[in-house]
PDB file of all heavy atoms in Angstrom:
ATOM      1  N   GLU A 201     -51.093  39.491  90.143  1.00  0.00           N
ATOM      2  CA  GLU A 201     -50.900  38.047  90.522  1.00  0.00           C
ATOM      3  C   GLU A 201     -49.490  37.790  90.977  1.00  0.00           C
ATOM      4  O   GLU A 201     -49.279  37.012  91.932  1.00  0.00           O
ATOM      5  CB  GLU A 201     -51.243  37.188  89.310  1.00  0.00           C
ATOM      6  CG  GLU A 201     -52.730  37.307  88.946  1.00  0.00           C
ATOM      7  CD  GLU A 201     -53.041  37.162  87.504  1.00  0.00           C
ATOM      8  OE1 GLU A 201     -52.081  36.894  86.669  1.00  0.00           O
ATOM      9  OE2 GLU A 201     -54.212  37.386  87.091  1.00  0.00           O
ATOM     10  N   ALA A 202     -48.503  38.426  90.363  1.00  0.00           N
ATOM     11  CA  ALA A 202     -47.087  38.289  90.806  1.00  0.00           C
ATOM     12  C   ALA A 202     -46.924  38.772  92.254  1.00  0.00           C
ATOM     13  O   ALA A 202     -46.243  38.157  93.061  1.00  0.00           O
ATOM     14  CB  ALA A 202     -46.178  39.032  89.867  1.00  0.00           C
ATOM     15  N   GLU A 203     -47.588  39.916  92.529  1.00  0.00           N
ATOM     16  CA  GLU A 203     -47.491  40.404  93.936  1.00  0.00           C
ATOM     17  C   GLU A 203     -48.155  39.456  94.918  1.00  0.00           C
ATOM     18  O   GLU A 203     -47.649  39.242  96.045  1.00  0.00           O
ATOM     19  CB  GLU A 203     -48.145  41.775  94.009  1.00  0.00           C
ATOM     20  CG  GLU A 203     -48.046  42.412  95.416  1.00  0.00           C
ATOM     21  CD  GLU A 203     -48.675  43.806  95.514  1.00  0.00           C
ATOM     22  OE1 GLU A 203     -49.051  44.342  94.480  1.00  0.00           O
ATOM     23  OE2 GLU A 203     -48.695  44.375  96.618  1.00  0.00           O
ATOM     24  N   ALA A 204     -49.328  38.875  94.540  1.00  0.00           N
ATOM     25  CA  ALA A 204     -50.007  37.947  95.478  1.00  0.00           C
ATOM     26  C   ALA A 204     -49.128  36.719  95.758  1.00  0.00           C
ATOM     27  O   ALA A 204     -49.148  36.227  96.892  1.00  0.00           O
ATOM     28  CB  ALA A 204     -51.288  37.466  94.800  1.00  0.00           C
ATOM     29  N   ILE A 205     -48.350  36.251  94.751  1.00  0.00           N
ATOM     30  CA  ILE A 205     -47.517  35.093  94.952  1.00  0.00           C
ATOM     31  C   ILE A 205     -46.289  35.423  95.787  1.00  0.00           C
ATOM     32  O   ILE A 205     -45.899  34.641  96.625  1.00  0.00           O
ATOM     33  CB  ILE A 205     -47.116  34.532  93.582  1.00  0.00           C
ATOM     34  CG1 ILE A 205     -48.299  34.046  92.795  1.00  0.00           C
ATOM     35  CG2 ILE A 205     -46.095  33.412  93.732  1.00  0.00           C
ATOM     36  CD1 ILE A 205     -48.064  33.803  91.340  1.00  0.00           C
ATOM     37  N   THR A 206     -45.701  36.577  95.581  1.00  0.00           N
ATOM     38  CA  THR A 206     -44.359  36.876  96.130  1.00  0.00           C
ATOM     39  C   THR A 206     -44.311  37.984  97.207  1.00  0.00           C
ATOM     40  O   THR A 206     -43.314  38.149  97.837  1.00  0.00           O
ATOM     41  CB  THR A 206     -43.407  37.324  94.998  1.00  0.00           C
ATOM     42  OG1 THR A 206     -43.869  38.541  94.455  1.00  0.00           O
ATOM     43  CG2 THR A 206     -43.363  36.265  93.901  1.00  0.00           C
ATOM     44  N   ASP A 207     -45.450  38.745  97.354  1.00  0.00           N
ATOM     45  CA  ASP A 207     -45.463  39.919  98.224  1.00  0.00           C
ATOM     46  C   ASP A 207     -44.490  41.032  97.755  1.00  0.00           C
ATOM     47  O   ASP A 207     -44.180  41.938  98.487  1.00  0.00           O
ATOM     48  CB  ASP A 207     -45.086  39.553  99.657  1.00  0.00           C
ATOM     49  CG  ASP A 207     -46.187  38.728 100.365  1.00  0.00           C
ATOM     50  OD1 ASP A 207     -47.363  38.996 100.058  1.00  0.00           O
ATOM     51  OD2 ASP A 207     -45.825  37.808 101.134  1.00  0.00           O
ATOM     52  N   VAL A 208     -44.078  40.964  96.502  1.00  0.00           N
ATOM     53  CA  VAL A 208     -43.306  42.068  95.919  1.00  0.00           C
ATOM     54  C   VAL A 208     -44.196  42.868  95.015  1.00  0.00           C
ATOM     55  O   VAL A 208     -44.836  42.328  94.093  1.00  0.00           O
ATOM     56  CB  VAL A 208     -42.127  41.457  95.035  1.00  0.00           C
ATOM     57  CG1 VAL A 208     -41.401  42.578  94.299  1.00  0.00           C
ATOM     58  CG2 VAL A 208     -41.162  40.675  95.900  1.00  0.00           C
ATOM     59  N   LYS A 209     -44.317  44.179  95.314  1.00  0.00           N
ATOM     60  CA  LYS A 209     -45.147  45.044  94.502  1.00  0.00           C
ATOM     61  C   LYS A 209     -44.416  45.335  93.171  1.00  0.00           C
ATOM     62  O   LYS A 209     -43.353  45.906  93.143  1.00  0.00           O
ATOM     63  CB  LYS A 209     -45.433  46.375  95.246  1.00  0.00           C
ATOM     64  CG  LYS A 209     -46.454  47.258  94.519  1.00  0.00           C
ATOM     65  CD  LYS A 209     -46.887  48.404  95.389  1.00  0.00           C
ATOM     66  CE  LYS A 209     -47.958  49.247  94.704  1.00  0.00           C
ATOM     67  NZ  LYS A 209     -49.193  48.461  94.405  1.00  0.00           N
ATOM     68  N   VAL A 210     -45.026  44.940  92.080  1.00  0.00           N
ATOM     69  CA  VAL A 210     -44.368  45.023  90.746  1.00  0.00           C
ATOM     70  C   VAL A 210     -44.648  46.420  90.155  1.00  0.00           C
ATOM     71  O   VAL A 210     -45.766  46.711  89.757  1.00  0.00           O
ATOM     72  CB  VAL A 210     -44.840  43.902  89.832  1.00  0.00           C
ATOM     73  CG1 VAL A 210     -44.310  44.090  88.431  1.00  0.00           C
ATOM     74  CG2 VAL A 210     -44.449  42.541  90.383  1.00  0.00           C
ATOM     75  N   VAL A 211     -43.635  47.253  90.089  1.00  0.00           N
ATOM     76  CA  VAL A 211     -43.747  48.603  89.579  1.00  0.00           C
ATOM     77  C   VAL A 211     -42.726  48.953  88.522  1.00  0.00           C
ATOM     78  O   VAL A 211     -42.871  49.949  87.765  1.00  0.00           O
ATOM     79  CB  VAL A 211     -43.711  49.632  90.710  1.00  0.00           C
ATOM     80  CG1 VAL A 211     -44.913  49.486  91.649  1.00  0.00           C
ATOM     81  CG2 VAL A 211     -42.438  49.555  91.502  1.00  0.00           C
ATOM     82  N   ASP A 212     -41.597  48.217  88.502  1.00  0.00           N
ATOM     83  CA  ASP A 212     -40.522  48.580  87.552  1.00  0.00           C
ATOM     84  C   ASP A 212     -39.725  47.247  87.276  1.00  0.00           C
ATOM     85  O   ASP A 212     -40.026  46.150  87.809  1.00  0.00           O
ATOM     86  CB  ASP A 212     -39.651  49.652  88.079  1.00  0.00           C
ATOM     87  CG  ASP A 212     -39.109  49.351  89.504  1.00  0.00           C
ATOM     88  OD1 ASP A 212     -39.039  48.164  89.875  1.00  0.00           O
ATOM     89  OD2 ASP A 212     -38.673  50.322  90.193  1.00  0.00           O
TER      90      ASP A 212
END
Side-chain angles (χ1 to χ4, degrees):
E201 294 147 6
E203 182 178 355
I205 296 166
T206 65
D207 290 324
V208 175
K209 189 171 181 62
V210 174
V211 294
D212 55 20

